[in-house]
Amino acid sequence: MSQGAQAHTDHDKARFVAEDGVDAGKCDNRFRPCKTLSYAVRQANEGDKIFVAEGQYYFDNAQHAQVLNDSLLPVLGGFSREDHYQAQKPALHKTTLVNVPTYLSEALYEKGFDSITDGKAASSLQAQASSHMVLSTEVSANEASTDGTAAGFPCSNMPLFTMSWTSDTSA
């Protein structure tokens, strides 16, 4: 067996989410999907895709905004458990995200989601995201990760390159 084959990691998989799913396992079995996007994201690796079946899902924090905009971990709606997630058909299989910040609605529509926006939730999430962006420039690169956080910021299942700044990577 070649060394390249031995070095293969568990990536480039589909992860599945459905309203009646259960947050257990790796979410990689289309017949046993997870229930929440948050759980599926924690199970996923860079290069995976998350397929979300028709239903209504709640958008509840700034981290969801980051995940739903992440090109390294595409999250796509408009799938059906009935056809075992075989085809994305958002016009037929309505996948709705509730409490979505207004600024994300168009991008989410392109990924197969309908959005229900809430002005209060949107401004609160934007403020949280902005607050994290400003604070993250002040965090020391030497902060230890403990229980999934470093200096009060979530860092569980986060690739290291997402935590670097331009000044850290310039030659």
Side-chain angles (χ1 to χ4, degrees):
M1 182 177 276
S2 75
Q3 186 174 5
Q6 291 175 342
H8 181 354
T9 60
D10 192 24
H11 64 81
D12 295 334
K13 284 188 160 196
R15 307 294 171 159
F16 304 95
V17 176
E19 265 188 321
D20 61 349
V22 176
D23 284 342
K26 292 185 174 186
C27 310
D28 59 353
N29 183 330
R30 70 185 71 236
F31 302 105
R32 292 185 193 96
C34 297
K35 182 174 183 70
T36 62
L37 284 170
S38 298
Y39 185 84
V41 167
R42 288 193 305 270
Q43 306 316 305
N45 297 301
E46 187 178 306
D48 290 352
K49 291 182 180 178
I50 298 177
F51 297 144
V52 185
E54 61 191 324
Q56 194 169 50
Y57 302 88
Y58 291 87
F59 189 99
D60 57 8
N61 60 42
Q63 188 175 14
H64 274 161
Q66 181 181 2
V67 166
L68 291 168
N69 273 325
D70 189 348
S71 63
L72 298 174
L73 182 63
V75 179
L76 305 168
F79 290 90
S80 172
R81 285 192 74 179
E82 303 259 332
D83 73 358
H84 310 294
Y85 299 85
Q86 292 299 310
Q88 185 182 28
K89 298 178 184 175
L92 183 60
H93 307 298
K94 295 289 184 189
T95 309
T96 306
L97 294 174
V98 179
N99 254 7
V100 174
T102 307
Y103 71 93
L104 286 176
S105 292
E106 188 174 330
L108 291 173
Y109 180 78
E110 296 296 321
K111 294 180 178 194
F113 293 98
D114 286 336
S115 303
I116 297 175
T117 61
D118 176 0
K120 289 181 186 177
S123 61
S124 169
L125 289 170
Q126 276 183 312
Q128 283 180 9
S130 296
S131 150
H132 285 298
M133 285 183 238
V134 170
L135 290 175
S136 69
T137 61
E138 299 171 7
V139 174
S140 166
N142 295 324
E143 293 290 336
S145 175
T146 307
D147 296 326
T149 63
F153 295 96
C155 63
S156 180
N157 289 334
M158 189 173 291
L160 289 176
F161 67 87
T162 63
M163 297 299 290
S164 62
W165 289 269
T166 308
S167 61
D168 294 342
T169 58
S170 60

